[in-house]
Amino acid sequence: MRTVEDLSAIGLATAAAVAASGAWYAAFGRRLAQLHDAYAEDTAAAGWIVPVELARSGTVAVTVSALAARTGVTRPRDAVRLGLALWVAFPGVLLTGSVVHEKVPWRLAAIHAGDWLVKLLLVSLATGARRRR
């Protein structure tokens, strides 16, 4: 059962992940445009993108929050370890596979990997380390 504190942390984690991801991709926008045509268009984002990103990040926040609770994460360093482990196990493995098997440029995968690292660390810290009593 989720408490108000849990829901608040999940909301904070979701918002932080979306904001950090937006900043990350804004910082690497020019490089992304050089690496892939999908990023080359200079148009405003469609109106449906923000709700989709909130749903995606919210799903990650709920899942990480549940994992943090089940694994007893209470300290910031435990939250960072959880975030790093999740990053290696999921985005790291998936993005490496895309480079090896689908010929995705490694620099493009590295930009995405960096986004996921920041996102998982923020979400892990926001949802895990708050449990300290």
Side-chain angles (χ1 to χ4, degrees):
M1 183 162 173
R2 301 250 180 236
T3 66
V4 172
E5 184 181 80
D6 290 334
L7 295 176
S8 177
I10 288 168
L12 173 66
T14 299
V18 171
S21 190
W24 185 266
Y25 285 109
F28 286 98
R30 182 169 288 133
R31 187 66 178 131
L32 285 166
Q34 294 170 345
L35 293 168
H36 199 284
D37 291 341
Y39 300 98
E41 294 179 18
D42 192 25
T43 60
W48 54 266
I49 290 178
V50 171
V52 168
E53 290 305 314
L54 286 168
R56 292 176 68 227
S57 293
T59 300
V60 170
V62 167
T63 303
V64 172
S65 179
L67 285 170
R70 297 233 176 196
T71 59
V73 170
T74 58
R75 297 179 304 202
R77 77 172 164 222
D78 297 333
V80 168
R81 286 181 185 149
L82 175 63
L84 287 172
L86 291 171
W87 177 72
V88 169
F90 297 105
V93 169
L94 291 170
L95 291 167
T96 301
S98 72
V99 170
V100 171
H101 299 292
E102 298 170 1
K103 309 289 188 257
V104 170
W106 71 266
R107 288 174 180 89
L108 179 61
I111 291 171
H112 293 312
D115 169 56
W116 273 103
L117 177 61
V118 169
K119 193 178 311 194
L120 284 168
L121 289 174
L122 281 172
V123 169
S124 295
L125 283 165
T127 62
R130 70 172 174 20
R131 288 189 167 76
R132 190 173 193 172
R133 304 245 188 267

